Amino acid sequence: MKWVAGASEAGPAPADAALVEAALGAPAAFYQFRLSPSGAYAIPFVSPDFVGRYGIEQGEPEETAARFFSRIHPDDLTRIHHAIARSARTLETFQGEFRFRLASGAEVWVEARSNPRPMPDGGVLWNGITTDITARMNAEAALRESEGRLRLFVRHAPVALAMFDRDMRYITASRRWLTDYRLGDLDLTGLSHYEVFPEIPDRWKAVHQRGLAGEVIRTESDRFERADGSVQWLRWEIWPWQTDAQDVGGILIFTEDITERKKAAEALEASEARYRVLFENAAEGIIAIAPDTGRFQFFNPALCAMFGYTSEEFGRLTIADIHPKAALADVLEGIRATAAGTPPTSSGVPCLRKDGTAFVADVRGSVVELEGRKVVFALFTDVTERVRLEERLRQAQKMDAIGQLAGGVAHDFNNLLTVISGNIELLLSDARAEGPKRAALTDIRTASERAASLTRQLLAFSRKQILEPRLVDVHVVLAGIEKMLRRLIGEDVELATDLAADPSWVKVDPGQLEQVVMNLALNARDAMPRGGRITIRTRNLDPSVSIDPEETAGQRLRPKLAISISDTGGGIPPEVRAHLFEPFFTTKAFGKGTGLGLATVYGIVRQSGGDITVESEPGNGATFTVVLPSQPAPGRRGGSGASLHALPRGTETVLVVEDEDAVRRIVKTMLESTGYRVIEARNGPEALEAARRHAETIHLVVTDVVMPEMSGRELAEQFSKDHPGVKILYMSGYTDDAIMRHGIVESGVAFLQKPFLPLALACKVREVLDAPG
């Protein structure tokens, strides 16, 4: 059956003749679709283009409809049926999109649009047109696929990433975004970014708008304060994304939580600040040196101050500028060894200050890597003072070693000298010793005196001598030896004195003080072979002044007296000055000096509680300064008693205890020659036995200190128990160390140092016997 415009065999056609006529001549795919009251589909009319496009020939309306609907994709068919029913019910425009299979087997997308019109029989008739939308649907599918892949990428991205539309509503967000922002499993789709994060500052909202305007924005560090009070540091980027129409559809925001990194950086910066403070304020000099060039990479202020340069000046220097030429090779070798990983022990490295003065430093080095290059990192410690103290310690140790040697031989030597000098004095006192014999005896006495003096010198510089210190006025001592000094130094040397007006009392052995001044004056004379000037000067020093680092805090508060001896000679070179006080060191020709003069002076001064220094420059003379503790002036005292020029005598009984036979005999002879009755014994037990046999009173015991079987102290204690009131006089050829161990050197104990002459023995015995108690 063929449809004609306006009517059919089945009844009147609802289509307008004009519509049909237009459709038959139009290139578009027109159709007419009818739904009967019973729900049957019919296509009463199709245009030629419809037939050509879809391959559906016009036939019976029901058959044509059946063939057309059989070509619709099954997944779309139900949806189309529902759309037709809704349009018939509401008489609203029908619009449907569906997949359609062509006769060739190809599948296309079709969009059908038609307007419904009710029919008199209760059916509905649609006049419509179809459009091939395959290209559009494929593009939309591709876009949906692309968006799907993008959503999938964003969702599983290993970074914090979120996709927003133009209203800043979430399209999707990565799991990392949820984690970093502590959002748990919240579904963000469709939520406003500003609702999720109400704490977002307005400045960020303005940045988002710039992204929505198409601008790519990046920031490296931004502080984000959360609503809960916590703080996050973020690095983020904003990228606009475009639709298929090349419009900005929204933005992608990528963020990286750099809070921990920021904290680490802040901690590092704080640490660097602390180390910078330590570096800038370190007492030690710190430097980094390029091992290949010797130039300085960096250094601290302490190093500049140590060498006397400003920072700008020091930065222009190299290793060659801060070390003497003689030490440069060793310094450079040390730098190379350190750079190679085997830093040497660098103690006492010679260094030069800007003003040319030298000092000594300990240098501790290590190799570090700085900006990809090896750098020698070194710490300088100025140890000049320590080296000076170590040198003084070595000097003291040398003197102590010599003193031990001297003390070891002093006992036997002093015993021998006691015998020699005692017998010589007895022989010289004989009036028959005249002529050549007397001259020979005088020479022997002179030799023994020189031997005794040499022993005293050895013990003095080693600080082993027994002193008899007492309060003396230094000015009186100097006045007493001035005439002798003038004769000794010669007429071509002028002697001048510059004495302090203040009191000048010190507690010393007066004979040793004279020896100090004499030795220093003679040394000054020897430094001026063509004449010159010697100046002896005294000054009272401020208590706070100290030239001895070994002084205690209490000693530093005591007043001090300085005695200086200056000359106008050629000065003392540094290499000589370093050894001046060493025993046996001398610059004089062989046979012209023993090298004990200054060593003796040093020992006497140190043993007297003082110190000695020397200042000298070649060509500018030398000044030796002795510093002794000052003492308050004593009150007035009476006369000293018996004259030293007469031999005091007595008639008392004296027990002499001495293990050396020769010494015992000469002591006995000396005492008997001055009127005393003498009992002798070789040791302590023999002395106790002799006392028991002796019926009369023993007034005095003269005993050696160190003896076999029983010491002098033990003998005295036992003897005093048996003979209360007996007086004790100790004698010894040992030095102070030995007799101190026996408890002899203490206040109130009478002691006589060997060797001694008859006069000294007679005076000491009389002094002890006449003492009260």
Side-chain angles (χ1 to χ4, degrees), residues 315-366:
R316 295 191 292 267
L317 304 180
T318 66
I319 286 294
D321 299 310
I322 62 173
H323 294 286
K325 291 182 179 179
L328 191 56
D330 291 338
V331 172
L332 293 175
E333 179 58 32
I335 292 175
R336 284 191 290 269
T338 302
T342 56
T345 301
S346 300
S347 299
V349 177
C351 300
L352 284 177
R353 294 188 178 90
K354 178 182 178 181
D355 60 8
T357 58
F359 70 98
V360 180
D362 279 354
V363 182
R364 301 188 300 280
S366 60

Short mmCIF file of all heavy atoms in Angstrom, two decimals, residues 315-366:
data_model
loop_
_atom_site.label_atom_id
_atom_site.label_comp_id
_atom_site.label_asym_id
_atom_site.label_seq_id
_atom_site.Cartn_x
_atom_site.Cartn_y
_atom_site.Cartn_z
N GLY A 315 92.22 38.14 54.34
CA GLY A 315 91.68 37.46 53.16
C GLY A 315 92.58 37.54 51.96
O GLY A 315 92.41 36.75 51.00
N ARG A 316 93.53 38.45 51.95
CA ARG A 316 94.44 38.58 50.81
C ARG A 316 95.75 37.81 51.02
O ARG A 316 96.62 37.83 50.16
CB ARG A 316 94.76 40.07 50.58
CG ARG A 316 93.55 40.89 50.17
CD ARG A 316 93.96 42.27 49.69
NE ARG A 316 94.49 43.08 50.76
CZ ARG A 316 93.76 43.92 51.49
NH1 ARG A 316 92.45 44.02 51.26
NH2 ARG A 316 94.31 44.66 52.44
N LEU A 317 95.88 37.12 52.16
CA LEU A 317 97.13 36.44 52.48
C LEU A 317 97.11 34.99 52.01
O LEU A 317 96.07 34.45 51.64
CB LEU A 317 97.37 36.49 53.99
CG LEU A 317 97.40 37.87 54.65
CD1 LEU A 317 97.66 37.72 56.14
CD2 LEU A 317 98.45 38.76 54.01
N THR A 318 98.29 34.37 52.08
CA THR A 318 98.42 32.93 51.86
C THR A 318 99.25 32.36 53.00
O THR A 318 99.71 33.10 53.89
CB THR A 318 99.12 32.62 50.51
OG1 THR A 318 100.47 33.10 50.58
CG2 THR A 318 98.39 33.28 49.35
N ILE A 319 99.45 31.05 52.96
CA ILE A 319 100.22 30.38 54.01
C ILE A 319 101.61 31.00 54.15
O ILE A 319 102.15 31.14 55.26
CB ILE A 319 100.34 28.88 53.69
CG1 ILE A 319 99.00 28.19 53.96
CG2 ILE A 319 101.42 28.21 54.51
CD1 ILE A 319 98.61 28.19 55.41
N ALA A 320 102.20 31.40 53.03
CA ALA A 320 103.56 31.93 53.06
C ALA A 320 103.65 33.23 53.86
O ALA A 320 104.75 33.63 54.28
CB ALA A 320 104.06 32.16 51.64
N ASP A 321 102.51 33.92 54.07
CA ASP A 321 102.53 35.21 54.76
C ASP A 321 102.45 35.08 56.27
O ASP A 321 102.70 36.05 56.99
CB ASP A 321 101.36 36.08 54.27
CG ASP A 321 101.46 36.37 52.79
OD1 ASP A 321 102.53 36.78 52.34
OD2 ASP A 321 100.46 36.15 52.08
N ILE A 322 102.06 33.91 56.78
CA ILE A 322 101.83 33.80 58.22
C ILE A 322 102.76 32.81 58.91
O ILE A 322 102.58 32.50 60.09
CB ILE A 322 100.36 33.40 58.51
CG1 ILE A 322 100.02 32.04 57.91
CG2 ILE A 322 99.41 34.46 57.99
CD1 ILE A 322 98.64 31.52 58.31
N HIS A 323 103.76 32.31 58.17
CA HIS A 323 104.74 31.40 58.77
C HIS A 323 106.14 31.83 58.35
O HIS A 323 106.34 32.31 57.22
CB HIS A 323 104.50 29.96 58.35
CG HIS A 323 103.22 29.38 58.84
ND1 HIS A 323 103.02 29.02 60.16
CD2 HIS A 323 102.05 29.11 58.20
CE1 HIS A 323 101.79 28.55 60.29
NE2 HIS A 323 101.18 28.60 59.12
N PRO A 324 107.13 31.67 59.22
CA PRO A 324 108.51 31.99 58.83
C PRO A 324 108.96 31.11 57.66
O PRO A 324 108.49 29.98 57.49
CB PRO A 324 109.32 31.67 60.10
CG PRO A 324 108.32 31.63 61.21
CD PRO A 324 107.03 31.20 60.61
N LYS A 325 109.87 31.64 56.86
CA LYS A 325 110.35 30.89 55.70
C LYS A 325 110.95 29.56 56.10
O LYS A 325 110.77 28.55 55.40
CB LYS A 325 111.38 31.73 54.94
CG LYS A 325 110.80 32.94 54.23
CD LYS A 325 111.88 33.69 53.45
CE LYS A 325 111.27 34.90 52.72
NZ LYS A 325 112.31 35.66 51.97
N ALA A 326 111.65 29.53 57.24
CA ALA A 326 112.31 28.30 57.66
C ALA A 326 111.31 27.19 57.98
O ALA A 326 111.63 26.01 57.87
CB ALA A 326 113.19 28.56 58.89
N ALA A 327 110.08 27.57 58.36
CA ALA A 327 109.07 26.57 58.74
C ALA A 327 108.09 26.28 57.62
O ALA A 327 107.24 25.40 57.75
CB ALA A 327 108.31 27.04 59.98
N LEU A 328 108.18 27.05 56.51
CA LEU A 328 107.15 26.97 55.47
C LEU A 328 107.08 25.59 54.83
O LEU A 328 105.98 25.07 54.57
CB LEU A 328 107.42 28.04 54.40
CG LEU A 328 106.30 28.26 53.38
CD1 LEU A 328 105.00 28.61 54.10
CD2 LEU A 328 106.68 29.37 52.42
N ALA A 329 108.22 24.97 54.57
CA ALA A 329 108.23 23.65 53.92
C ALA A 329 107.49 22.62 54.77
O ALA A 329 106.68 21.83 54.27
CB ALA A 329 109.66 23.20 53.65
N ASP A 330 107.74 22.65 56.08
CA ASP A 330 107.06 21.71 56.98
C ASP A 330 105.57 21.98 57.04
O ASP A 330 104.75 21.05 57.09
CB ASP A 330 107.65 21.80 58.39
CG ASP A 330 109.07 21.25 58.45
OD1 ASP A 330 109.43 20.45 57.56
OD2 ASP A 330 109.82 21.62 59.37
N VAL A 331 105.18 23.25 57.04
CA VAL A 331 103.76 23.61 57.08
C VAL A 331 103.05 23.11 55.83
O VAL A 331 101.96 22.51 55.89
CB VAL A 331 103.58 25.13 57.25
CG1 VAL A 331 102.12 25.52 57.08
CG2 VAL A 331 104.10 25.59 58.61
N LEU A 332 103.64 23.36 54.65
CA LEU A 332 103.04 22.92 53.40
C LEU A 332 102.94 21.39 53.34
O LEU A 332 101.95 20.83 52.84
CB LEU A 332 103.83 23.45 52.21
CG LEU A 332 103.79 24.97 52.03
CD1 LEU A 332 104.71 25.40 50.89
CD2 LEU A 332 102.36 25.44 51.75
N GLU A 333 103.96 20.71 53.83
CA GLU A 333 103.92 19.25 53.85
C GLU A 333 102.80 18.77 54.77
O GLU A 333 102.11 17.79 54.47
CB GLU A 333 105.27 18.69 54.34
CG GLU A 333 105.32 17.18 54.43
CD GLU A 333 105.02 16.49 53.11
OE1 GLU A 333 105.34 17.06 52.04
OE2 GLU A 333 104.44 15.38 53.14
N GLY A 334 102.59 19.47 55.89
CA GLY A 334 101.49 19.12 56.79
C GLY A 334 100.14 19.31 56.13
O GLY A 334 99.22 18.50 56.31
N ILE A 335 99.99 20.37 55.32
CA ILE A 335 98.72 20.60 54.62
C ILE A 335 98.48 19.49 53.60
O ILE A 335 97.37 18.96 53.47
CB ILE A 335 98.74 21.98 53.94
CG1 ILE A 335 98.73 23.10 55.00
CG2 ILE A 335 97.56 22.14 53.00
CD1 ILE A 335 98.88 24.48 54.42
N ARG A 336 99.53 19.12 52.87
CA ARG A 336 99.38 18.05 51.87
C ARG A 336 99.02 16.72 52.55
O ARG A 336 98.17 15.98 52.05
CB ARG A 336 100.67 17.92 51.07
CG ARG A 336 100.87 19.02 50.03
CD ARG A 336 102.01 18.69 49.10
NE ARG A 336 103.30 18.76 49.77
CZ ARG A 336 104.05 19.85 49.83
NH1 ARG A 336 103.64 20.98 49.25
NH2 ARG A 336 105.22 19.84 50.45
N ALA A 337 99.67 16.44 53.66
CA ALA A 337 99.37 15.20 54.37
C ALA A 337 97.94 15.19 54.89
O ALA A 337 97.24 14.17 54.83
CB ALA A 337 100.37 15.00 55.53
N THR A 338 97.48 16.33 55.39
CA THR A 338 96.11 16.43 55.88
C THR A 338 95.12 16.24 54.74
O THR A 338 94.12 15.53 54.87
CB THR A 338 95.88 17.79 56.56
OG1 THR A 338 96.81 17.95 57.63
CG2 THR A 338 94.46 17.89 57.11
N ALA A 339 95.39 16.86 53.58
CA ALA A 339 94.51 16.72 52.42
C ALA A 339 94.48 15.28 51.94
O ALA A 339 93.45 14.81 51.40
CB ALA A 339 94.98 17.64 51.29
N ALA A 340 95.56 14.53 52.15
CA ALA A 340 95.61 13.13 51.74
C ALA A 340 94.97 12.21 52.76
O ALA A 340 94.89 11.00 52.54
CB ALA A 340 97.07 12.72 51.51
N GLY A 341 94.51 12.78 53.87
CA GLY A 341 93.80 11.97 54.86
C GLY A 341 94.65 11.49 56.02
O GLY A 341 94.17 10.72 56.85
N THR A 342 95.90 11.92 56.10
CA THR A 342 96.77 11.51 57.21
C THR A 342 97.33 12.76 57.89
O THR A 342 98.51 13.10 57.73
CB THR A 342 97.93 10.62 56.71
OG1 THR A 342 98.65 11.34 55.68
CG2 THR A 342 97.41 9.32 56.15
N PRO A 343 96.48 13.50 58.62
CA PRO A 343 96.95 14.73 59.25
C PRO A 343 98.03 14.46 60.28
O PRO A 343 97.87 13.57 61.12
CB PRO A 343 95.68 15.30 59.90
CG PRO A 343 94.78 14.12 60.07
CD PRO A 343 95.08 13.20 58.93
N PRO A 344 99.16 15.19 60.24
CA PRO A 344 100.22 14.99 61.22
C PRO A 344 99.88 15.70 62.53
O PRO A 344 98.96 16.51 62.60
CB PRO A 344 101.42 15.65 60.55
CG PRO A 344 100.82 16.74 59.72
CD PRO A 344 99.48 16.22 59.24
N THR A 345 100.60 15.35 63.58
CA THR A 345 100.47 16.06 64.84
C THR A 345 101.35 17.31 64.76
O THR A 345 102.57 17.22 64.70
CB THR A 345 100.92 15.18 66.01
OG1 THR A 345 100.11 14.00 66.03
CG2 THR A 345 100.78 15.92 67.33
N SER A 346 100.71 18.48 64.73
CA SER A 346 101.44 19.74 64.52
C SER A 346 101.45 20.54 65.81
O SER A 346 100.55 21.33 66.06
CB SER A 346 100.78 20.54 63.38
OG SER A 346 100.79 19.79 62.19
N SER A 347 102.43 20.29 66.63
CA SER A 347 102.58 21.03 67.89
C SER A 347 103.74 22.00 67.75
O SER A 347 104.77 21.67 67.17
CB SER A 347 102.84 20.06 69.04
OG SER A 347 101.77 19.16 69.20
N GLY A 348 103.52 23.19 68.29
CA GLY A 348 104.59 24.18 68.28
C GLY A 348 104.94 24.66 66.89
O GLY A 348 106.12 24.76 66.54
N VAL A 349 103.92 24.98 66.08
CA VAL A 349 104.17 25.47 64.72
C VAL A 349 104.55 26.95 64.79
O VAL A 349 103.79 27.76 65.35
CB VAL A 349 102.92 25.28 63.83
CG1 VAL A 349 103.16 25.86 62.45
CG2 VAL A 349 102.55 23.81 63.74
N PRO A 350 105.69 27.35 64.23
CA PRO A 350 106.08 28.78 64.26
C PRO A 350 105.14 29.61 63.38
O PRO A 350 104.81 29.21 62.27
CB PRO A 350 107.50 28.76 63.69
CG PRO A 350 107.96 27.35 63.79
CD PRO A 350 106.74 26.51 63.63
N CYS A 351 104.73 30.76 63.90
CA CYS A 351 103.83 31.65 63.17
C CYS A 351 104.35 33.08 63.26
O CYS A 351 105.13 33.42 64.16
CB CYS A 351 102.41 31.58 63.75
SG CYS A 351 101.66 29.93 63.70
N LEU A 352 103.89 33.92 62.31
CA LEU A 352 104.31 35.33 62.26
C LEU A 352 103.09 36.24 62.32
O LEU A 352 102.15 36.06 61.55
CB LEU A 352 105.10 35.61 60.98
CG LEU A 352 106.54 35.11 60.91
CD1 LEU A 352 107.11 35.43 59.54
CD2 LEU A 352 107.38 35.75 62.00
N ARG A 353 103.15 37.22 63.22
CA ARG A 353 102.10 38.22 63.26
C ARG A 353 102.37 39.30 62.21
O ARG A 353 103.45 39.36 61.62
CB ARG A 353 102.02 38.85 64.64
CG ARG A 353 101.58 37.87 65.73
CD ARG A 353 101.32 38.61 67.05
NE ARG A 353 100.86 37.70 68.09
CZ ARG A 353 101.67 37.05 68.93
NH1 ARG A 353 102.97 37.25 68.84
NH2 ARG A 353 101.18 36.24 69.83
N LYS A 354 101.39 40.17 62.04
CA LYS A 354 101.53 41.26 61.07
C LYS A 354 102.72 42.15 61.40
O LYS A 354 103.42 42.61 60.48
CB LYS A 354 100.23 42.09 61.05
CG LYS A 354 100.26 43.27 60.11
CD LYS A 354 98.96 44.07 60.19
CE LYS A 354 98.99 45.29 59.29
NZ LYS A 354 97.74 46.08 59.37
N ASP A 355 102.97 42.37 62.70
CA ASP A 355 104.08 43.25 63.09
C ASP A 355 105.44 42.56 63.06
O ASP A 355 106.45 43.15 63.45
CB ASP A 355 103.83 43.83 64.49
CG ASP A 355 103.69 42.75 65.56
OD1 ASP A 355 103.95 41.56 65.25
OD2 ASP A 355 103.34 43.10 66.71
N GLY A 356 105.47 41.30 62.60
CA GLY A 356 106.73 40.59 62.47
C GLY A 356 107.12 39.77 63.68
O GLY A 356 108.09 39.01 63.60
N THR A 357 106.40 39.91 64.79
CA THR A 357 106.73 39.12 65.97
C THR A 357 106.30 37.68 65.76
O THR A 357 105.32 37.39 65.07
CB THR A 357 106.05 39.68 67.22
OG1 THR A 357 104.63 39.71 67.01
CG2 THR A 357 106.54 41.09 67.51
N ALA A 358 107.05 36.79 66.38
CA ALA A 358 106.78 35.36 66.23
C ALA A 358 106.01 34.83 67.43
O ALA A 358 106.11 35.36 68.53
CB ALA A 358 108.09 34.59 66.07
N PHE A 359 105.22 33.81 67.19
CA PHE A 359 104.57 33.09 68.27
C PHE A 359 104.43 31.63 67.84
O PHE A 359 104.69 31.28 66.69
CB PHE A 359 103.21 33.70 68.63
CG PHE A 359 102.14 33.53 67.60
CD1 PHE A 359 101.19 32.52 67.70
CD2 PHE A 359 102.06 34.39 66.51
CE1 PHE A 359 100.21 32.37 66.75
CE2 PHE A 359 101.07 34.26 65.55
CZ PHE A 359 100.13 33.23 65.68
N VAL A 360 104.06 30.81 68.78
CA VAL A 360 103.97 29.37 68.54
C VAL A 360 102.53 28.93 68.69
O VAL A 360 101.83 29.37 69.62
CB VAL A 360 104.87 28.59 69.54
CG1 VAL A 360 104.79 27.10 69.28
CG2 VAL A 360 106.31 29.07 69.43
N ALA A 361 102.06 28.07 67.78
CA ALA A 361 100.68 27.60 67.80
C ALA A 361 100.64 26.09 67.63
O ALA A 361 101.46 25.51 66.92
CB ALA A 361 99.86 28.28 66.71
N ASP A 362 99.67 25.48 68.31
CA ASP A 362 99.32 24.09 68.02
C ASP A 362 98.26 24.12 66.93
O ASP A 362 97.29 24.89 67.01
CB ASP A 362 98.76 23.41 69.26
CG ASP A 362 99.87 22.94 70.20
OD1 ASP A 362 101.04 23.05 69.80
OD2 ASP A 362 99.56 22.46 71.30
N VAL A 363 98.44 23.30 65.91
CA VAL A 363 97.52 23.29 64.77
C VAL A 363 96.94 21.89 64.63
O VAL A 363 97.68 20.91 64.50
CB VAL A 363 98.22 23.70 63.46
CG1 VAL A 363 97.22 23.72 62.32
CG2 VAL A 363 98.87 25.06 63.62
N ARG A 364 95.60 21.80 64.70
CA ARG A 364 94.91 20.52 64.51
C ARG A 364 94.14 20.62 63.20
O ARG A 364 93.28 21.49 63.05
CB ARG A 364 93.97 20.24 65.68
CG ARG A 364 94.69 20.18 67.01
CD ARG A 364 93.79 19.71 68.13
NE ARG A 364 92.64 20.57 68.34
CZ ARG A 364 92.69 21.72 69.00
NH1 ARG A 364 93.84 22.14 69.50
NH2 ARG A 364 91.61 22.45 69.17
N GLY A 365 94.45 19.73 62.28
CA GLY A 365 93.85 19.81 60.95
C GLY A 365 93.03 18.58 60.61
O GLY A 365 93.23 17.49 61.15
N SER A 366 92.09 18.75 59.69
CA SER A 366 91.30 17.66 59.13
C SER A 366 90.88 18.08 57.74
O SER A 366 90.93 19.26 57.39
CB SER A 366 90.08 17.35 60.01
OG SER A 366 89.23 18.48 60.10
#
